[in-house]
């Protein structure tokens, strides 16, 4: 590793790096956005009694719920690999960093693949964005989260590319840490969505 000592030039009066503070601020705004989407979903949940298919017939089916539960476990495992990737970046351990940053990206991609397959199944059953108000709120909520996962996968691959091309510069561990904050946030949001959409009766 060329230099693992964090730079202090961007540390503000709060003692927190300004880039890291920016990510925390961004995540705060995202919390409000997801909260509004979840509130919208809960508003329409259980009110799709006029135009089938009904939510409980599709999302609470044991087979569907099991697949989504396994997919949730995949995303949670990606948080662990992200921690290991950051540890590799901080220690200058290139093999560890590249192994686990790419593993994190692969797990995120797997999550998206399963989610797309779920969407395809729901659409075949008749639940789409335009089927009813519940369908609209469900696809907007989970699709918006899926978009965040896709952005996260891009950032992970960017971190791997940057590490490969520019090496482990002085700022590199901080950059990986900030991407890791975003990734953990996306994972945590999904856990909340999973409990509300698939487990709440």
């Amino acid at each position: 590793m060329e230099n693992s000592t964090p730079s202090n030039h961007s540390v503000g009066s709060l003692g927190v790096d300004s880039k890291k503070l920016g990510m925390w601020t961004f995540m705060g705004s995202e919390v409000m956005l997801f909260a509004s989407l979840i509130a919208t979903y809960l508003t329409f949940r259980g009110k799709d009694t006029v135009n089938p298919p009904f939510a409980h017939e599709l999302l609470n089916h044991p087979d569907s719920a099991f697949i989504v539960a396994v997919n949730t476990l995949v995303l949670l495992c990606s948080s662990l690999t992200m921690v290991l990737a950051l540890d590799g970046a901080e220690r200058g351990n290139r093999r560890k960093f590249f192994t686990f940053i790419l593993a994190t990206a692969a797990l995120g991609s797997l999550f998206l693949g399963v989610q797309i397959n779920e969407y395809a199944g729901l659409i075949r059953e008749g639940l789409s964005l335009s089927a009813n108000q519940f369908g609209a709120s469900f696809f907007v909520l989970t699709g918006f989260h899926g978009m965040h996962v896709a952005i996260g996968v891009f950032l992970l691959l960017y971190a791997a590319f940057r590490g490969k091309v520019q090496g482990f510069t002085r700022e590199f561990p901080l950059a990986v840490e900030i991407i890791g904050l975003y990734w953990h946030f996306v994972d945590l949001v999904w856990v909340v969505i999973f409990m509300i959409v698939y487990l709440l009766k």
Side-chain angles (χ1 to χ4, degrees):
M1 184 175 182
E2 296 174 8
N3 194 338
S4 61
T5 304
S7 172
N8 292 324
H9 76 279
S10 58
V11 175
S13 59
L14 297 176
V16 180
D17 185 276
S18 59
K19 295 177 181 176
K20 198 184 297 185
L21 184 61
M23 177 55 73
W24 280 109
T25 303
F26 168 75
M27 290 190 297
S29 66
E30 289 290 281
V31 166
M32 292 186 283
L33 185 57
F34 274 106
S36 64
L37 292 176
I38 290 173
T40 302
Y41 171 84
L42 291 174
T43 299
F44 292 120
R45 187 176 187 273
K47 296 182 179 178
D48 54 331
T49 56
V50 177
N51 299 317
F54 305 124
H56 68 276
E57 296 176 344
L58 300 176
L59 300 181
N60 295 130
H61 189 280
D63 292 342
S64 176
F66 175 75
I67 292 173
V68 178
V70 173
N71 209 27
T72 301
L73 182 61
V74 167
L75 206 57
L76 292 176
C77 288
S78 75
S79 273
L80 174 60
T81 55
M82 185 68 237
V83 171
L84 295 172
L86 175 59
D87 184 66
E90 291 176 337
R91 295 175 183 273
N93 187 329
R94 294 173 181 271
R95 173 174 291 185
K96 185 175 184 179
F97 167 73
F98 285 115
T99 296
F100 287 108
I101 199 77
L102 293 177
T104 306
L107 290 170
S109 299
L110 176 60
F111 174 86
L112 288 174
V114 173
Q115 188 174 49
I116 291 172
N117 184 65
E118 180 196 18
Y119 283 177
L122 292 173
I123 292 173
R124 282 196 299 271
E125 294 290 338
L127 182 64
S128 66
L129 190 66
S130 59
N132 50 42
Q133 292 176 324
F134 167 78
S137 62
F138 168 79
F139 279 103
V140 170
L141 173 60
T142 57
F144 192 68
H145 175 268
M147 183 184 73
H148 279 69
V149 174
I151 292 173
V153 170
F154 172 80
L155 292 174
L156 293 168
L157 295 176
Y158 168 75
F161 175 78
R162 178 177 169 179
K164 184 70 174 178
V165 174
Q166 299 182 357
F168 284 28
T169 61
R170 188 174 192 171
E171 300 287 345
F172 187 64
L174 176 61
V176 176
E177 184 180 357
I178 291 173
I179 293 173
L181 284 174
Y182 174 84
W183 192 254
H184 294 313
F185 169 75
V186 169
D187 289 0
L188 181 60
V189 168
W190 177 254
V191 171
V192 175
I193 292 175
F194 171 69
M195 290 190 295
I196 292 175
V197 173
Y198 297 94
L199 299 184
L200 188 64
K201 299 295 184 182

